[in-house]
């Protein structure tokens, strides 16, 4: 807000400064009056610039004196008049309202020559004589109204030659009902060159401002016509054009200089009608820019109002019937009426601007510059209209501010548009990346169920579940075929996604051209016998080797051949290869339907499919093919004729001597340069990684990277040493190369899994070439994960840490399991129970047998790992409770009293080992710690729709602090917390715990009758 106010103040100061500089002479009271008693003497120095003839002129009121001779004879009528000044108090209008007068001044010049006058405004009609020669006029001066012709505030120049270094200037003036009469602005005198230069400069500035406004408006209108969406451009263009036309109607009146035959009355009508047009277009422009702060009804009302103004002042006024004002009062009222009907529009636009500033809408600062400039100029224009105050040069300031303001607004909007486009581009890139990731994840997720369907359908076809009927066999075969096709689509999606994310790598090597024949034979072998298309390969045996990635090259051939088969119903497909310009050229030619010319340039685009009858697939095959070929530094292009066939041509680089030496040196280096002392060992943290690879360079790289990561590393170069090592040493993870001499990675995985399962010892397979079948086989023989070479160490470390974390979780789970089992049976309880039974065996064999049966029941329930996670009947759980309490009664004797209140008719399934641990907890922590012993009560009864299980003891009770921990589930006492968690898994179950230190504890469990698993 402060900055907006500063802008407004700056613009106001600018207009005040321009107005003051342009009218400095008129607004200062100490300017010199060089005319004295009707005479002035001009020096050479003064003639360097125009001289204002201000001072005491000779004036002859109420007469028009035609010559110097008569002026000399009418000296009795002469008065001295300060010029410029309104003569109204010295002149009396005649009966027709005509006022006349004659001005005279004698100018002495230093040299003979041509001199001129720049006449700004003389109200109204005037004629100028110099040395008794008429040199110019505006309007018709006369004492008779019928012969009178007015002027319209015209500015003009007159020129004459001096005589005897003198110029006698006589000016006739006639006024009819104008409040400002006579010479109201100073007349400027100077040499002809100076006056012409000044006048031409003023005309040039006016023309520049006019043309600038009009051009500016035309540009905006053409911009609007290009898209017809932004109406503010149209309205602003119309506004600047109307403003430019208005500028041409005032000051030097450039428009009327071009069309001099327009009468003063029509000039005035044009001036008065162009202003409401400019206001109308300005209002519509502001409404289009900020419709949210204006009302449509108000805009329509102003449009009607301004339309009426345009008609009344520009075409025909039915009230005045286009007659001139007959008095000063009538003229003043007409001016006030004009201001009153146009001022509301101006004030409304200003109020709109204030609301725009308060709401801080877009571009308000730049619009503020324009509106403030227009408002300042309108205010000065009102002063000029009402008081005749000159406003020279302010229109030029207005033009510059409009140009600057809206150029800045356009630039601001362009910048905002660019920022929005950038944001949208970034968003689109992010969405595109998300799309690629989604495709990649989806493809991975689809692989597993598709493999399952393929395997199940294959087993059904092979009769694994018994013979199928013919119709069933056909359906299973169809399922298998459709799943295979879907699998191919998933593979294409996966490859395309990897390609987009930059994860597809090529490993070029020396490849024999015989692979072309191998691919053709493989495809031919899987084609049905009744297929009407033959596939042949024409590959010479003496062709040189290529330097490419064999796996990717085969993928290119597969895609091209499958594409040819798809679009060739009858005919032949021929694959040829030959050498041209040091490149291997492979062509796949078919006699299929061909490709229409419009589709040829787009068939390599991802997801594009031509307008043909075949709509199988996703349109990724040729896109993938092109990208692979380009990645292998080759080229691919196509020629086709509709109805005759298509030929795809692929070029591949040939293997040269440099490639041969690289490959030989790489194998030589493996054999000669690096021979490690194995097994290689690096001591690190407690996580031990076993690396198995027959390439010592790979061993060195992996071992060094793992060592720097902090792991303990052991490395061997064959599977036999790895098997021997894990037999006697613990290993946390294994990295195994898939292709090794002697024992392959597959066989090594099988050997490891005979001793360790997948959680005990994770295995990561490392391979240079990973086909889908290789991956499936690796997982089938026991690998946990795989990585394709060259290995990215960050990926490898993430996989290792993930598998180690899973392994540690399984170890922790087993430990928790064992701890739980150990906690169920304490050694102290077992020893005391056995000693009691041994002692009892000497005196009472029957009770001994009963005690052993109860102990067996207790152990069976406690040590059955799977049993404790199941639901059992309440009778079975009560049996365990009674067995346990029988044993404890045998140990404690009279110190333990037992009471049962059990409804035998209750049929309820409850979690196993849920009541007994609570009873055991009551005996151990409640009764046993009380010297005199106590009583245990076990109650199972119905209570409404629930079954109430109550366990009460009158033991030592639980301190308040421990009680709160138990209630808040913050305690570590397994005997209480485990049953609590089990009961909470049952729907609508609740458990309550009451205890008072020294008085005992009560546990109440409410279960819905009929509840269970």
């Amino acid at each position: 807000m402060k900055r907006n106010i500063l802008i407004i103040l700056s613009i106001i100061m600018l207009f005040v400064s321009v107005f003051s500089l342009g009218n400095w002479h008129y607004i200062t009271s100490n300017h010199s009056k060089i005319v004295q008693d009707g005479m002035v003497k001009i020096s050479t120095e003064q003639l360097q610039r125009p001289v204002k003839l201000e001072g005491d002129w000779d004036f002859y009121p109420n007469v028009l004196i035609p010559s110097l001779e008569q002026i000399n004879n009418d000296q009795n009528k002469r008065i001295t008049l300060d010029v410029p000044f309104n003569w109204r108090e010295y002149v009396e209008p005649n009966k027709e309202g005509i006022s006349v007068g004659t001005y005279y001044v004698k100018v002495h010049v230093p040299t003979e020559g041509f001199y001129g006058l720049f006449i700004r405004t003389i109200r109204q009609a005037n004629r100028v004589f110099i040395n008794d020669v008429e040199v110019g006029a505006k309007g018709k001066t006369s004492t008779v109204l019928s012969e009178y012709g007015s002027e319209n505030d015209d500015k003009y120049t007159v020129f004459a030659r001096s005589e005897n270094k003198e110029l006698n200037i006589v000016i006739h003036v006639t006024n009819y009902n104008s409040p400002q009469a006579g010479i109201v602005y100073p007349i400027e005198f100077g040499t002809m060159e100076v006056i012409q230069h000044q006048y031409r400069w003023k005309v040039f500035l006016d023309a520049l401002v006019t043309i600038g406004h009009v051009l500016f408006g035309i540009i905006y209108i053409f911009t609007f016509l290009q898209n017809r969406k932004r109406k503010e451009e149209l309205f602003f263009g119309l506004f600047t054009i109307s403003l430019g036309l208005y500028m041409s109607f005032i000051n030097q009146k450039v428009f009327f200089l071009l069309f001099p035959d327009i009468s003063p009355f029509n000039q005035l009508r044009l001036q008065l009608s162009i202003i409401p047009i400019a206001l109308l277009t300005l209002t519509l422009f502001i409404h289009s820019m900020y419709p949210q702060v204006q009302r449509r009804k108000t805009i329509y009302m102003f449009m009607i109002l301004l339309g009426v103004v345009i008609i009344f002042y520009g075409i025909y006024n039915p009230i005045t019937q286009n007659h001139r004002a007959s008095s000063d009062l009538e003229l003043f009222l007409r001016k006030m009426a004009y201001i009153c009907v146009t001022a509301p529009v101006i004030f409304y636009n200003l109020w709109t601007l204030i609301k725009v500033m308060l709401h801080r809408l877009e571009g308000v600062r730049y619009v503020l510059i324009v509106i403030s400039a227009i408002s300042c100029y309108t205010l000065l224009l009102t002063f000029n209209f009402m008081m005749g105050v000159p406003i020279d040069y302010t229109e030029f300031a207005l033009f510059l501010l409009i140009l600057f303001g809206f150029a800045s607004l356009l630039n601001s909007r362009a910048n905002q548009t660019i920022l929005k486009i950038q944001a949208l581009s970034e968003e689109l890139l992010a969405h595109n990346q998300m799309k690629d990731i989604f495709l990649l994840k989806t493809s991975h997720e689809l692989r597993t169920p598709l493999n399952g369907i393929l395997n199940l359908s294959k087993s059904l076809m092979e009769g694994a579940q018994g013979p199928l009927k013919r119709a069933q066999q056909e359906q299973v075969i169809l399922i298998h075929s459709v799943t295979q096709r879907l699998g191919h689509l998933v593979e294409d999606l996966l490859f395309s996604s990897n390609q987009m994310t930059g994860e597809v790598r090529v490993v070029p090597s020396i490849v024999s051209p015989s692979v072309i024949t191998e691919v053709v034979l493989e495809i031919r072998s899987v084609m049905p016998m009744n297929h009407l298309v033959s596939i042949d390969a024409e590959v010479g045996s003496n062709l040189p080797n290529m330097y490419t990635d064999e796996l990717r090259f085969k993928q290119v051939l597969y895609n091209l051949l499958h594409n040819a088969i798809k679009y060739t119903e009858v005919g032949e497909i021929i694959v040829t290869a030959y050498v041209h310009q040091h490149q291997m050229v492979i062509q796949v030619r078919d006699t299929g339907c061909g490709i229409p010319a419009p589709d040829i340039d787009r068939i390599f685009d991802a997801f594009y499919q031509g307008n043909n009858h075949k709509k199988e697939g996703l349109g990724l095959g040729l896109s993938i093919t092109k990208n692979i070929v380009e990645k292998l530094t080759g080229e691919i292009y196509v020629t086709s004729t509709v109805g005759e066939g298509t030929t795809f041509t692929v070029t591949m680089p040939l293997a040269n001597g440099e490639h041969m030496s690289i490959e030989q040196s790489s194998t030589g280096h493996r054999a000669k340069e690096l021979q490690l002392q194995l097994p290689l060992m690096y001591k690190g943290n407690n996580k031990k990684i076993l690396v198995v690879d027959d390439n010592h360079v790979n061993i060195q790289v992996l071992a060094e990277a793992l060592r720097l990561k902090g792991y303990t590393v052991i490395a061997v170069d064959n599977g036999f040493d790895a098997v021997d090592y894990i037999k006697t040493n613990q290993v946390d993870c294994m990295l195994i190369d898939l292709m090794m001499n002697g024992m392959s990675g597959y066989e090594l995985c099988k050997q490891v899994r005979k001793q360790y399962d997948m959680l005990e010892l994770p295995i990561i397979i490392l391979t240079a070439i990973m086909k889908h079948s290789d991956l499936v086989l690796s997982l089938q023989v026991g690998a946990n994960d795989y990585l394709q070479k060259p290995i990215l160490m960050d990926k490898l470390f993430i996989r290792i840490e993930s598998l180690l974390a899973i392994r540690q979780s399984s170890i922790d789970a087993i430990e928790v399991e064992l701890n739980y089992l150990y906690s169920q049976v304490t050694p102290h309880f077992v020893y005391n129970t056995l000693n009691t039974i041994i002692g009892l065996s000497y005196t009472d064999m029957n009770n001994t047998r009963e005690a052993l049966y109860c102990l067996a029941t207790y152990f069976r329930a406690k040590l059955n790992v799977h049993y404790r996670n199941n639901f059992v009947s309440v009778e079975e759980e009560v049996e365990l409770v009674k067995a346990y309490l029988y044993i404890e009664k045998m140990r404690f004797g009279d110190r333990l009293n037992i009471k049962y209140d059990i409804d035998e008719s209750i049929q309820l399934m409850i979690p196993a080992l849920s009541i007994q641990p609570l009873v055991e907890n009551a005996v151990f922590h409640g009764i046993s710690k009380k010297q005199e012993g106590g009583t245990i009560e076990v109650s199972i009864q119905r209570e409404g729709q629930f079954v109430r299980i109550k366990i009460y003891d009158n033991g030592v009770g639980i301190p308040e602090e421990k009680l709160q921990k138990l209630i808040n589930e913050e305690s570590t006492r397994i005997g209480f917390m485990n049953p609590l968690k089990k009961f909470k898994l049952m729907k609508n179950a609740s458990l309550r715990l009451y205890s008072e230190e020294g008085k005992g504890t009560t546990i109440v469990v409410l279960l819905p009758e009929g509840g269970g698993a």
Side-chain angles (χ1 to χ4, degrees):
M1 180 63 73
K2 291 182 179 179
R3 187 173 294 180
N4 294 338
I5 294 174
L6 183 62
I7 290 174
I8 297 174
L9 293 177
S10 300
I11 293 174
I12 293 174
M13 293 300 297
L14 174 63
F15 273 92
V16 170
S17 301
V18 173
F19 174 77
S20 301
L21 291 174
N23 299 278
W24 184 255
H25 191 77
Y26 309 124
I27 61 178
T28 56
S29 58
N30 58 350
H31 52 274
S32 60
K33 298 180 179 181
I34 62 174
V35 180
Q36 301 292 334
D37 198 20
M39 295 180 59
V40 60
K41 188 173 183 179
I42 306 296
S43 65
T44 303
E45 182 179 350
Q46 287 177 309
L47 290 174
Q48 298 297 321
R49 59 184 61 86
V51 179
K52 291 180 174 62
L53 297 180
E54 296 180 296
D56 297 328
W57 285 44
D58 290 343
F59 182 65
Y60 300 87
N62 304 317
V63 294
L64 297 175
I65 303 175
S67 63
L68 289 173
E69 182 180 354
Q70 189 171 346
I71 284 178
N72 294 329
N73 294 333
D74 292 341
Q75 290 296 316
N76 57 333
K77 298 180 180 180
R78 180 180 72 89
I79 64 174
T80 300
L81 185 65
D82 187 13
V83 175
F85 190 73
N86 191 343
W87 72 9
R88 294 295 295 263
E89 57 185 278
Y90 301 102
V91 178
E92 292 293 334
N94 61 20
K95 294 180 181 180
E96 295 181 300
I98 295 290
S99 302
V100 297
T102 302
Y103 289 89
Y104 171 73
V105 67
K106 179 181 287 187
V107 180
H108 295 275
V109 293
T111 58
E112 295 288 355
F114 282 92
Y115 294 88
L117 299 175
F118 175 72
I119 299 172
R120 181 181 179 85
T121 299
I122 300 178
R123 299 282 171 78
Q124 290 173 325
N126 58 84
R127 297 173 68 191
V128 181
F129 302 86
I130 299 179
N131 293 337
D132 272 343
V133 178
E134 183 176 350
V135 292
K138 287 294 180 181
K140 295 179 181 180
T141 58
S142 175
T143 58
V144 181
L145 183 60
S146 60
E147 298 177 359
Y148 164 76
S150 67
E151 58 87 31
N152 187 29
D153 196 20
D154 291 330
K155 302 171 181 61
Y156 64 101
T157 58
V158 296
F159 302 97
R161 186 175 178 82
S162 62
E163 295 179 1
N164 299 321
K165 300 182 181 181
E166 291 182 355
L167 290 97
N168 294 285
I169 302 172
V170 177
I171 301 176
H172 293 177
V173 180
T174 300
N175 179 47
Y176 179 71
N177 292 329
S178 175
Q180 291 181 316
I183 302 175
V184 294
Y185 296 122
I187 294 176
E188 298 182 16
F189 174 85
T191 63
M192 185 171 66
E193 292 79 9
V194 171
I195 295 299
Q196 285 180 334
H197 175 74
Q198 181 193 34
Y199 183 70
R200 289 170 182 167
W201 175 248
K202 290 178 180 291
V203 172
F204 170 75
L205 286 180
D206 282 359
L208 179 64
V209 171
T210 298
I211 294 172
H213 277 88
V214 173
L215 287 178
F216 204 41
I218 291 173
I219 291 172
Y220 268 90
I221 291 175
F222 273 109
T223 303
F224 165 76
L225 292 176
Q226 289 178 351
N227 53 34
R228 299 178 183 272
K229 291 182 180 180
R230 299 176 62 178
K231 291 184 179 180
E232 63 270 18
E233 293 178 343
L234 171 64
F235 294 132
F236 182 71
L238 294 174
F239 166 69
T240 52
I241 290 176
S242 59
L243 190 60
L245 290 175
Y246 171 75
M247 295 299 178
S248 69
F249 295 162
I250 62 174
N251 294 331
Q252 315 311 318
K253 300 184 178 179
V254 176
F255 184 84
F256 301 128
L257 292 177
L258 298 175
F259 304 96
D261 295 334
I262 300 177
S263 66
F265 178 70
N266 288 332
Q267 290 182 16
L268 181 61
R269 288 164 63 186
L270 286 173
Q271 290 173 342
L272 294 177
S273 62
I274 197 67
I275 292 175
I277 292 175
L279 285 175
L280 176 62
T281 53
L282 176 63
T283 304
L284 292 173
F285 163 71
I286 296 176
H287 175 68
S288 299
M289 285 287 293
Y290 306 108
Q292 62 270 43
V293 295
Q294 288 187 333
R295 295 182 178 179
R296 283 178 176 262
K297 292 183 179 179
T298 307
I299 299 301
Y300 293 151
M301 182 184 67
F302 282 137
M303 289 173 64
I304 295 172
L305 175 64
L306 292 174
V308 171
V309 174
I310 294 171
I311 293 172
F312 271 49
Y313 288 89
I315 301 175
Y316 179 75
N317 190 332
I319 299 175
T320 63
Q321 298 181 352
N322 286 3
H323 291 160
R324 287 181 174 271
S326 59
S327 65
D328 292 347
L329 178 61
E330 183 181 351
L331 181 63
F332 176 77
L333 291 176
R334 288 188 183 185
K335 289 184 177 181
M336 288 302 300
Y338 186 83
I339 292 174
C340 289
V341 294
T342 55
V345 184
I346 299 172
F347 289 132
Y348 180 75
N349 288 330
L350 290 175
W351 171 240
T352 300
L353 174 63
I354 293 173
K355 291 196 289 185
V356 168
M357 287 190 299
L358 293 175
H359 289 85
R360 298 181 179 180
L361 301 180
E362 177 189 3
V364 61
R365 196 163 296 151
Y366 308 113
V367 177
L368 177 62
I369 294 174
V370 178
I371 304 301
S372 300
I374 293 173
S375 301
C376 291
Y377 183 77
T378 303
L379 184 62
L380 293 176
L381 190 63
T382 304
F383 289 153
N384 173 265
F385 186 61
M386 296 297 297
M387 304 171 60
V389 178
I391 54 174
D392 289 347
Y393 307 113
T394 54
E395 65 274 4
F396 191 69
L398 173 67
F399 169 68
L400 291 178
L401 287 172
I402 288 178
L403 185 63
F404 171 77
F406 277 94
S408 301
L409 177 60
L410 285 175
N411 184 59
S412 173
R413 285 196 165 187
N415 290 336
Q416 291 294 328
T417 303
I418 291 172
L419 291 175
K420 289 179 181 178
I421 291 173
Q422 288 178 344
L424 285 174
S425 298
E426 292 174 0
E427 186 176 353
L428 286 174
L429 288 173
H431 282 295
N432 187 56
Q433 187 176 6
M434 290 170 62
K435 179 261 296 179
D436 294 340
I437 295 173
F438 171 76
L439 287 177
L440 185 62
K441 289 183 176 179
T442 304
S443 303
H444 275 296
E445 292 298 326
L446 286 174
R447 271 181 158 183
T448 301
L450 285 176
N451 286 329
I453 297 172
L454 281 172
N455 293 331
L456 288 173
S457 60
K458 185 178 180 182
S459 65
L460 288 173
M461 286 189 299
E462 293 173 351
Q465 301 299 323
L468 301 176
K469 297 179 182 179
R470 182 178 181 82
Q472 292 173 333
Q473 287 179 340
E474 290 175 353
Q475 294 297 323
V476 171
I477 292 172
L478 179 61
I479 291 172
H480 189 77
S481 176
V482 171
T483 307
Q484 277 186 322
R485 193 170 71 182
L486 184 57
H488 292 314
L489 296 180
V490 169
E491 291 296 327
D492 285 346
L493 274 176
L494 183 60
F495 185 87
S496 181
S497 302
N498 286 332
Q499 176 183 291
M500 292 174 183
T501 56
E503 295 184 7
V504 175
R505 295 178 180 82
V506 294
V507 183
S509 61
I510 297 174
V511 178
S512 171
S514 61
V515 298
I516 301 173
T517 306
E518 293 174 6
V519 171
V520 171
L521 292 175
E522 182 179 344
I523 290 181
R524 189 191 298 168
S525 65
V526 298
M527 291 179 65
M529 295 294 294
N530 58 350
H531 204 273
L532 301 177
V533 179
S534 63
I535 302 178
D536 294 306
E538 297 178 359
V539 180
S541 58
N542 58 347
L543 290 176
N545 294 328
M546 298 177 289
Y547 189 69
T548 185
D549 186 313
E550 182 177 352
L551 180 64
R552 299 304 178 199
F553 178 71
K554 285 183 177 181
Q555 188 175 358
V556 168
L557 289 180
Y558 281 131
N559 286 347
L560 293 178
L561 287 169
H562 281 299
N563 188 75
I565 293 171
K566 184 165 61 174
Y567 293 105
T568 306
E569 296 181 357
V570 178
E572 62 179 0
I573 300 171
I574 300 176
V575 183
T576 60
Y578 59 91
V579 176
H580 179 69
Q581 294 183 351
H582 305 291
Q583 285 187 319
M584 181 71 73
V585 180
I586 303 98
Q587 290 186 330
V588 179
R589 184 172 65 253
D590 65 66
T591 58
C593 60
I595 304 172
D599 293 337
I600 287 181
D601 293 334
R602 301 185 60 189
I603 59 174
F604 293 112
D605 295 342
F607 302 106
Y608 178 76
Q609 293 177 299
N611 295 321
N612 51 64
H613 63 284
K614 299 276 189 177
K615 288 295 183 182
E616 299 177 2
L618 297 173
L620 286 172
L622 291 178
S623 170
I624 292 171
T625 300
K626 184 175 187 296
N627 289 320
I628 292 175
V629 170
E630 290 177 349
K631 208 153 194 176
L632 294 172
T633 67
E635 295 180 356
I636 183 171
Y637 47 91
V638 60
T639 58
S640 183
T641 303
V642 176
E644 295 183 9
T646 304
T647 300
F648 283 91
T649 303
V650 177
T651 64
M652 284 287 131
L654 295 176
N656 52 35
E658 182 180 353
H659 298 147
M660 299 284 191
S661 60
I662 291 174
E663 194 151 308
Q664 289 174 359
S665 63
S666 63
T667 56
H669 287 173
R670 285 198 297 267
K672 297 178 181 179
E673 289 187 9
L674 187 62
Q675 288 293 331
L676 300 174
Q677 284 295 117
L678 299 179
L680 182 68
M681 294 189 182
Y682 291 125
K683 183 65 177 176
N685 57 27
N686 60 345
K687 299 299 181 183
K688 188 182 295 185
I689 312 296
L690 176 60
V691 178
V692 188
D693 197 321
D694 60 353
N695 188 322
H696 286 210
V697 175
N698 292 343
I699 289 177
Q700 181 67 33
V701 172
L702 287 171
E704 186 66 22
L706 293 168
R707 182 184 67 83
L708 293 175
K709 195 68 176 175
Y711 294 114
T712 295
V713 183
I714 300 93
V716 294
D717 61 358
N718 63 84
F720 301 102
D721 290 344
V723 172
D724 291 339
Y725 186 84
I726 63 174
K727 286 180 179 179
T728 56
N729 297 276
Q730 179 194 348
V731 175
D732 296 292
C733 183
M734 291 181 69
L735 306 181
I736 300 176
D737 182 36
L738 192 60
M739 299 300 175
M740 294 186 295
N741 295 324
M743 182 185 292
S744 68
Y746 299 121
E747 186 62 31
L748 178 56
C749 284
K750 291 180 182 178
Q751 294 295 326
V752 173
R753 288 296 169 246
K754 291 179 180 179
Q755 186 174 353
Y756 299 98
D757 62 28
M758 297 181 71
L759 289 178
E760 286 182 292
L761 181 51
I763 298 175
I764 300 176
I765 292 292
L766 309 177
T767 178
I769 299 176
M770 176 55 73
K771 299 179 183 177
H772 183 65
S773 57
D774 297 332
L775 168 60
V776 173
L777 186 57
S778 299
L779 298 177
Q780 286 176 346
V781 297
N784 296 73
D785 207 340
Y786 78 98
L787 280 174
Q788 189 171 357
K789 295 181 181 179
I791 304 299
L792 293 177
M793 291 304 169
D794 290 340
K795 268 191 177 180
L796 176 62
F797 294 148
I798 291 173
R799 303 286 178 90
I800 292 175
E801 290 170 5
S802 176
L803 291 174
L804 290 178
I806 294 172
R807 179 177 181 273
Q808 187 61 45
S809 297
S810 67
I811 294 173
D812 293 342
I814 293 172
E815 186 175 351
V816 169
E817 188 79 20
L818 292 175
N819 288 338
Y820 179 84
L821 293 175
Y822 296 152
S823 67
Q824 300 298 305
V825 181
T826 61
H828 182 72
F829 171 79
V830 174
Y831 296 152
N832 289 341
T833 302
L834 290 176
N835 287 332
T836 303
I837 293 174
I838 291 171
L840 185 63
S841 64
Y842 291 107
T843 59
D844 190 347
M845 266 322 273
N846 290 330
N847 283 332
T848 300
R849 291 189 187 95
E850 184 66 22
L852 288 173
Y853 174 78
C854 291
L855 184 61
T857 302
Y858 177 80
F859 281 151
R860 183 175 62 250
K862 287 288 187 175
L863 299 181
N864 188 339
V865 176
H866 303 289
Y867 170 81
R868 65 183 183 81
N869 289 322
N870 294 330
F871 278 73
V872 298
S873 64
V874 69
E875 294 91 344
E876 192 172 346
E877 185 70 14
V878 168
E879 182 184 4
L880 174 61
V881 169
K882 290 181 176 179
Y884 167 73
L885 288 177
Y886 182 88
I887 296 170
E888 293 291 13
K889 175 66 176 176
M890 190 173 56
R891 290 176 53 207
F892 286 95
D894 294 337
R895 290 181 58 220
L896 177 62
N897 296 316
I898 303 171
K899 293 182 179 180
Y900 294 107
D901 182 17
I902 298 174
D903 186 346
E904 301 290 345
S905 66
I906 293 176
Q907 301 294 322
L908 180 67
M909 300 298 291
I910 63 173
L913 296 180
S914 56
I915 301 178
Q916 187 275 330
L918 295 177
V919 173
E920 185 174 345
N921 189 72
V923 173
F924 183 77
H925 294 286
I927 303 298
S928 67
K929 295 183 178 180
K930 196 172 182 182
Q931 186 174 3
E932 66 275 17
T935 301
I936 288 285
E937 293 182 9
V938 178
S939 171
I940 301 177
Q941 296 291 334
R942 288 186 176 88
E943 188 173 295
Q945 298 295 322
F946 290 85
V947 173
R948 177 176 53 81
I949 301 172
K950 177 181 175 183
I951 301 164
Y952 165 76
D953 72 82
N954 60 356
V956 297
I958 305 173
E960 182 64 27
E961 183 179 353
K962 290 184 179 181
L963 181 64
Q964 290 302 318
K965 285 186 177 182
L966 289 172
I967 295 174
N968 297 331
E969 301 184 19
E970 297 174 355
S971 175
T972 58
R973 286 168 58 176
I974 296 176
F976 181 83
M977 298 309 300
N978 278 347
L980 174 62
K981 291 177 181 178
K982 291 179 179 180
F983 281 125
K984 282 195 172 183
L985 292 175
M986 297 183 67
K987 187 176 181 180
N988 297 326
S990 63
L991 186 145
R992 301 168 190 170
L993 175 64
Y994 310 96
S995 182
E996 185 176 350
E997 196 169 2
K999 292 187 178 180
T1001 302
T1002 302
I1003 300 173
V1004 178
V1005 180
L1006 290 177
L1007 301 176
E1009 189 170 6

